[in-house]
Amino acid sequence: MTFAQGSWPTYTDAALDRVRRERREIERECQAFQRFRQRIQTVDTQTPRFERSVVGVNQNLTSEEKSIRDTIEPWYPDTVMAVDHYGDVYGDSFEASLSAEFGVDVLVLISEGTTFSPLIKQRLLEAAQQCIDNRRVFLETLKDEFTTLKDAQSTVQESREAIAELDSTELQGFSDTELTDRYETLHTLNNECKSWIQQRQKEIHTHRIERSADWDSYTDLCSYLYEDLGVDYPVLATFVDILDIISHYE
């Protein structure tokens, strides 16, 4: 069995599936935050009896009063935490999620406040919009990553077809011109693979994740997206493997 007929790297196939899934999840999260924000927009505001600062409300709750958190807490699970992948991807509590997404100061603000003032409403609307904007930015990053993977797949297919053509010919009896053509084909394939590797390494060093939740443990997009694929860098792994295949024909 020749290399062209046998096993070729399929890392980019798995990577494309992973990016497709991530895009679907992020799009759903955007929609969920939009629904949560719409609920906040429906709230009628009141002038508070006493509001000390943007990060805290110094009010004592009476037995008849309830915090703003009691009012909006059901909305968050019904929207943001209701996306079908939430338990698998996040699996955290209301407090942990709101702190991660909106900031702990917002959690304190709604937990202590009893009056839905214009200030608090605006703060919640801004925080929700920031979550939406962060995910829209990340969607653009995923779109670029998807395009890169498709381009890599195209190069892989072209390389496989070129190797298949080499397999279909016998070296014995080759003219000098045919041997030169063979060498140039291998040289071109080699350079394309090395160009991909150099380009990807540059992207890895410069590309950072632009999302709002707990990605501190990840140093780049690939290590976040592909940690469960067996290789963190599927494009690099693909062209390293193809270089090894090419070396058997040189």
Side-chain angles (χ1 to χ4, degrees), residues 13 19 42 51 94 119 121 159 164 194 206-208 216 224 241-242 245 249:
D13 296 337
V19 173
T42 65
E51 186 167 273
F94 166 78
L119 177 65
K121 182 175 182 178
S159 298
K194 289 180 178 178
T206 59
H207 203 134
R208 299 297 174 186
D216 292 342
Y224 164 69
D241 282 3
I242 295 176
I245 292 172
Y249 289 83

Side-chain angles (χ1 to χ4, degrees), residues 45-49 51 57 59 66 68 113-117 120:
T45 60
Q46 295 177 331
T47 302
R49 294 194 305 271
E51 186 167 273
V57 179
Q59 297 179 4
K66 62 180 182 178
I68 297 170
T114 60
T115 303
F116 229 120
S117 69
I120 292 178

Side-chain angles (χ1 to χ4, degrees), residues 46-66:
Q46 295 177 331
T47 302
R49 294 194 305 271
F50 176 69
E51 186 167 273
R52 186 175 60 186
S53 70
V54 73
V55 295
V57 179
N58 191 16
Q59 297 179 4
N60 295 320
L61 300 180
T62 69
S63 59
E64 293 81 15
E65 293 175 325
K66 62 180 182 178

